[in-house]
Amino acid sequence: MIDTTAAPSTTPVAPVKRRIPAWANGILWTLASIVLLTVTADLTGLANITATATIQAGLQLAVPLLLAGLGGLWAERAGVVNIGLEGMMILGTWGSAWAGYQWGPWAAVAGGIVFGALGGLLHAVATVTFGVNHIVSGVAINLLGAGVAKYLSTLLFTSVSHNPRQSPKVPGFDTYSAQPLADWLGDLEKQQRYVVSDIAGILHGLLSGVSPLTMITILLVPVSYLLLWRTRFGLRLRSCGENPVAAESLGVNVYRQKYLAVIVSGGFAGLGGAALVLAPGQNGYLENQTNGRGYIGLAAMIFGNWRPGGLLGGAALFGYADGLQTLTDGKTVLGLFYGVALLIWVIALVQLIRRKWIVGLIAVLAGGALYLLYLSIDSLPSELTTYLPHIVTIVVLAMSAQRLRMPAADGLIYRRGQGS
Amino acid sequence: MRSLRGKLLPPVVAIVFSALLCSVALIISGSNPAKALAVMVVQVGRDTTLVDIVNSASVYYLVGIAVAIGFKMNLFNIGVEGQYRIGAALAAIVGGQLNMPPVIGQIVIILTAMVGGAAYAALPAILKVTRGVSEVITTIMLNAIAGGIIALLIKQGAFGVLNNNNISTKPIPSSNWIPGISFGSAGTVFGLVLLAILVGVGYWVLLNRTRFGFELQASGESPTAATAGGVDAKRMIVIAMLVSGAIAGLTALPEVLGRDHAYTLISPQGYGFTGIAVALLGRNNPGGIAFGALLWAFLDQSAVSLDVIQVPREIVTIMQGAIVLSVVVSYEVIRRLELAAEQRRVGLQLAAATTGSAS
Amino acid sequence: MTTATDLGNPAVVLTGITKRFPGVVANDDIRLTVRAGEVHALCGENGAGKSTLMKILYGMQQPDEGTIEVDGAEVRFRTPADAIKAGIGMVHQHFMLADNLTVQENVVLGAEALHGIGGRARARIQELAGQTGLRVDPGVLVEQLGVADRQRVEILKVLYRGARIIILDEPTAVLVPQEVDELFDTLRGMREQGFTFLFISHKLDEVRAIADSITVIRRGTTVGTVDPTSVTTRQLAEMMVGSELPSPETRESTVTDRAVLTVAGLHLSDDTGRAVLDEIDLAVHAGEIVGIAGVEGNGQTELVEAIMGIRKADGGSVLLVGADDAIVDLTKLSTLHRREAGIGYIPEDRHRHGLLLTQSLWFNRILGFQTRKPVVNGRWLDVEGARKDTRRIVEQFDVRTPGIEVPAAALSGGNQQKLIVGRELSGDPVLVIASHPTRGVDVGAQALIWEQIKQARAAGLAVLLVSADLDELIGLSDTIKVMLRGRLVADADPATVTPEELGSAMTGASTGGEEEA
């Protein structure tokens, strides 16, 4: 009655891969970046690549991106896509300037957080309670945030600053340096010694003239990790981003978790706004000052594969690129291409050793193309260097979108009782 | 959204809610909302305001339709902003550089704008279908990059000329302008308002009466069902993005061909986001988008007259933002209520017809 | 039919449970007594009201009438948390697990207050696993687990919360027989330790193998409780469906020797390069129904989608002989062209693949036919034609609806399915591919769909039928092929084969051919 016609094939067992722990990975990447920058600076003769000023500017510019990215991380780990970070950041800049010019820098920090969190609350009401599409709500909040900030600025700043688009001066934080190490590194950098001076420049940039807000921000990365991955609260929050139906069936109040996550997310974005207001040389609210940084922060988070460590890397990369292009010229930025070409060739070598011929070959060619570009033009047009982070984002997404892993229920609308 | 009530109620609720919100904001800041409202209404009859509203609305309508085409199939083409700017800049460059005979010149300029917009939409479309990259992020990035590309294109030495302390493209010769329709002292309506109307009608026909429109809506509603029904999802994504980009390219043309005759570094920006708002307000429906565009233009114009009575004009921006957010919320709530009501109604009708046999 | 056990005291007593939904009475005066330390099976057809009843017992829904007693005390559950407190746990049919979290995280989620989320929780999970034999590594991500392991995680979740009464909703639906045996061993062991199980199933043989008592419900109400040792499967089946067992059996053979569909050497690999379809050869003749049997996940979905062109096969050919006897090579064609060549497609998941839920019925009629009359005219839609033809389907296929303008989502599952079957049989197809055509529909719709398929077959249609319902397969098919791990491993003659034989062929138990690979 049953005639066997063919034998079933057997399934091969996937080999178990050993993984490097995340912290070691982070240290490796940091070291690799320092080496790459140093080598590039020396081989191209462009000392600015590792100059203290460049690194400091990069760190400065990375802070708001990092905060926006952390905001994105919190919201998206709970399953809410937050494209409204930009609007929340704008609200944060206004709130921060308003509180800051009256009561000082710490008030500016608090004001930024509160206003950003209000924006987050609005996003939560729309997406969680009313089930509005997350992108739509985010776009609306960006429009609204810009409008509210403009209105309030006209209303409350004009009489003091005599300019509806600008706040009165907000006192900034004092900055700190790790003395005497910083001075020693500074001296070392000035000696222009091969390799040593470059490394000293990078470290000097990271260890001197740091504001408390920068330190807090960097600290917030491990804090976010511990909260989200090592506590009961974080487990519940992440479960809402992975499978809210399951979470609810286990008694997790999904709406509450999402509300909290999105409000915290807004608070981070607002703090990012405060970081802009308090940045040296800025010291106040200025219309359009965020200039799309909320979006770049979101891109940094995606770049970091929805993980705090990766997001730190993304923000550092974008901040550095921004710092380099603000302080230097198209020629120095072009020098980076040389560095990237080197990096790609190293990756190619690794792939070839692993016998991944096709990937390796493509990497060799891509590195070659970049190198040729570096050789064939003198300087990048200044009009385009401003948009380096944007271009990098697109290139990175195009290359690695399939390897990125966002929370399984990210962006999906969840209704209470959906599982029953 | 089947019933008329379901279509009309949400925008009305949203407008009333936003007006109340703004009234509260005005009262707190010491202004009189009733007076502000009166000024907003009265201004429509004054000078060229009505014509200005229609002119702005034609621009908003075009960009709203561009956004709506994407939305109809759940594509978030946030990139209309960049696409329309690239389209307009290229069109102005072509119009200024080539000395073309009348009629042909206008046609070439319009086509250039469409091709430019579509080309700039092509990259996110290709990345989405080949690499699975979300169009939201790529189009946001491309919006920013568009500024750089335009700056590069119209700098002096490329296609830019210095004109009253402002860098712009070479002016388009008057033989290639599109004349307006004059209403004497009430102003001149852009000739391309007719193009906007044409695009609206075309959009309705495309959506409701053609196979392409069916496939577009099916893909938007359920990509999986559309695929099983033989709709090529990837092809639809690419086509929808390109069409959306092409329409977006038209956006600034009423201004470029009817008023400015050039594209400058300070030409208006931000229409793309207006388009998103207008499309949401009009629920991607050609009639609704027309209403949304007119409302938006009306609010924009009110800003000027509010200044006169010392009400900060930015209150209009708040009102616009509040309208968008509350309209999407109320559409969502009413959609849900209506579907539940429909299911109940069907259930009851069947229960009455066949007691016990159906489960 | 009386209660036939004298085990322990009643652990759960449901009295007069009634639950109404708009237009439907899901539960009507249900009575059920489950004794402590027994495996109590709840049997009933799809749509009989089993799931609603269990959701009520688990606090996910509230009854309109009736009382629930647990361990002798009347209780009222507002949320699942209340039920958990009372010692009731539920293992859902569709697993409620987050793939990207570890086993431990999934287990402790929501119950972190018990033992934290760290080492103590891990120790407790391992202790429970040791006690019950539900062994899983707490540290691995759930996405790396197979179906049986996932089910173990689900049961662990429930135990971790201290449940003594465990509801298992169709636990065997996704398991292969060996896994079912393992599960039953575990359940028996746990029963010895005093756990009580409520076992929901419509697989009667399994129910008889494991249950201490069986309660049957039909159309929302209890028919009776019986002792599994004193009834036959046939008697149980009759209790479930009422007096007349609907029979899917086809009478005389209408098979011709005209091969309509010829699949040769079809091959498909997944992302990791593993073959999910391997050397598939298959022919379906005019007037023939070829049934594909197999445990879910053995390539049936992929086979159907490869024939439809939804997935691109990476080897082999698919040929179709059209109505005019012309041979069409489908191998390189798109889904749309395959449909135009004369294939109708009833997908396995009607919500995801069959319908546009918020659109009207006539709009749904166009889907898949957007290039063919009478619903379109060239590049233009023929709205009137679509409406007219939808009315025809509604009438001919007895789609219960107040009109053709209502959204598809407003119809019941059975009526949605009738609409799909009606649509796919439109336009004179030469081949229909039917995936689980009667899954989750009511008995009336099932009978109608079977009848329509039989009529079409008699008129010369070729049908490829994929189903998990072995009775449906045996009853309808002219030939049955068994699919296992991406291959067609055996043929069976539906006239002589029994479900048991098919079952063992589906799991590779009877082929003895594994060594050859």
Side-chain angles (χ1 to χ4, degrees), chain B residues 2 205 208-211 214-215 218 221-222 224-225 227-231 342-344 346-347 349-351 357 359, chain C residues 22 336 339 352-353 355-359 363 366-368 370-371 379-381 383 400 402 405-407 409-410 442:
Chain B
R2 274 148 211 292
V205 172
N208 294 296
R209 285 292 175 265
T210 67
R211 184 185 139 195
F214 173 85
E215 294 187 328
E221 156 112 28
S222 167
T224 46
T227 306
V231 179
E342 188 90 45
Q343 268 165 338
R344 244 190 330 271
V346 172
Q349 284 191 7
L350 294 180
S357 71
S359 70
Chain C
L336 186 65
R339 280 178 162 277
R352 277 172 50 75
H353 297 114
L355 292 171
L356 304 168
L357 287 169
T358 70
Q359 302 284 359
F363 198 87
I366 303 175
L367 189 64
Q370 59 270 31
T371 49
R379 299 229 139 234
W380 301 89
L381 297 188
V383 175
R400 312 271 172 87
E405 298 295 334
V406 298
D442 55 282

Side-chain angles (χ1 to χ4, degrees), chain A residues 235-236 250, chain C residues 84 87-91 103-129 131-132 134 138 152-164 166 190 195:
Chain A
L235 173 60
R236 291 185 166 210
L250 294 172
Chain C
I84 292 167
I88 295 177
M90 176 147 173
V91 175
V103 168
Q104 181 174 343
E105 286 175 329
N106 269 287
V107 171
V108 302
L109 178 62
E112 305 91 343
L114 295 174
H115 312 283
I117 65 169
R120 275 192 304 133
R122 189 186 179 87
R124 175 68 185 146
I125 294 170
Q126 273 159 342
E127 182 191 336
L128 279 172
Q131 246 173 47
T132 54
L134 296 161
R152 285 187 198 115
V153 178
E154 284 283 12
I155 300 176
L156 276 175
K157 255 164 70 176
V158 165
L159 296 179
Y160 190 82
R161 287 161 173 72
R164 304 293 295 170
I166 299 166
M190 290 173 66
F195 289 99

Side-chain angles (χ1 to χ4, degrees), chain A residues 9 20 35 45 62 67-68 188 195 204 207 217 250 252 261 265-266 275-276 281 289 318 340 358 373 384 386 398 402:
Chain A
S9 59
I20 309 167
V35 169
L67 287 165
L188 209 56
V195 179
H204 188 227
L207 294 175
T217 302
L250 294 172
V252 174
S265 166
L276 287 174
Q289 143 189 63
F318 293 157
V340 174
I358 295 175
L373 192 68
L384 284 184
T386 321
Q402 276 126 336

Side-chain angles (χ1 to χ4, degrees), chain B residues 248-275:
Chain B
L250 293 175
T251 300
L253 286 192
E255 291 176 351
V256 169
L257 291 179
R259 189 186 67 198
D260 304 341
H261 312 305
Y263 195 82
T264 74
L265 274 186
I266 55 159
S267 281
Q269 297 183 17
Y271 290 157
F273 292 97
T274 306

Side-chain angles (χ1 to χ4, degrees), chain B residues 17-223:
Chain B
F17 173 78
S18 313
L20 285 177
L21 192 82
C22 290
S23 302
V24 172
L26 286 178
I27 290 169
I28 292 173
S29 65
S31 309
N32 181 350
K35 198 171 151 202
L37 184 68
V39 169
M40 286 167 74
V41 174
V42 170
Q43 58 131 0
V44 176
R46 284 223 192 99
D47 304 332
T48 61
T49 311
L50 188 60
V51 166
D52 291 343
I53 290 177
V54 171
N55 282 345
S56 298
S58 69
V59 170
Y60 298 167
Y61 190 67
L62 285 168
V63 72
I65 295 281
V67 174
I69 290 172
F71 275 0
K72 262 291 172 192
M73 63 172 291
N74 276 336
L75 270 178
F76 288 93
N77 184 7
I78 312 283
V80 283
E81 174 74 17
Q83 290 147 20
Y84 96 76
R85 290 181 65 201
I86 293 281
L90 288 180
I93 289 171
V94 167
Q97 297 288 326
L98 308 177
N99 215 336
M100 290 174 288
V103 183
I104 293 178
Q106 279 89 332
I107 292 174
V108 169
I109 291 172
I110 290 176
L111 287 180
T112 308
M114 292 179 81
V115 170
Y120 208 58
L123 182 65
I126 291 169
L127 284 181
K128 187 176 171 76
V129 297
T130 58
R131 309 290 302 169
V133 182
S134 155
E135 75 281 9
V136 176
I137 301 290
T138 41
T139 52
I140 286 174
M141 297 298 137
L142 285 172
N143 282 344
I145 296 171
I149 295 178
I150 290 171
L152 204 59
L153 282 176
I154 61 178
K155 74 175 166 187
Q156 277 171 295
F159 299 108
V161 290
L162 195 62
N163 198 352
N164 301 335
N165 277 337
N166 182 20
I167 297 181
S168 90
T169 59
K170 244 166 113 177
I172 299 171
S174 62
S175 62
N176 286 349
W177 296 358
I178 291 188
I181 305 155
S182 176
F183 286 87
S185 66
T188 305
V189 171
F190 291 149
L192 282 180
V193 165
L194 293 176
L195 178 70
I197 295 173
L198 208 65
V199 165
V201 173
Y203 173 71
W204 187 89
V205 172
L206 184 81
L207 213 56
N208 294 296
R209 285 292 175 265
T210 67
R211 184 185 139 195
F212 175 77
F214 173 85
E215 294 187 328
L216 192 75
Q217 297 198 56
S219 311
E221 156 112 28
S222 167

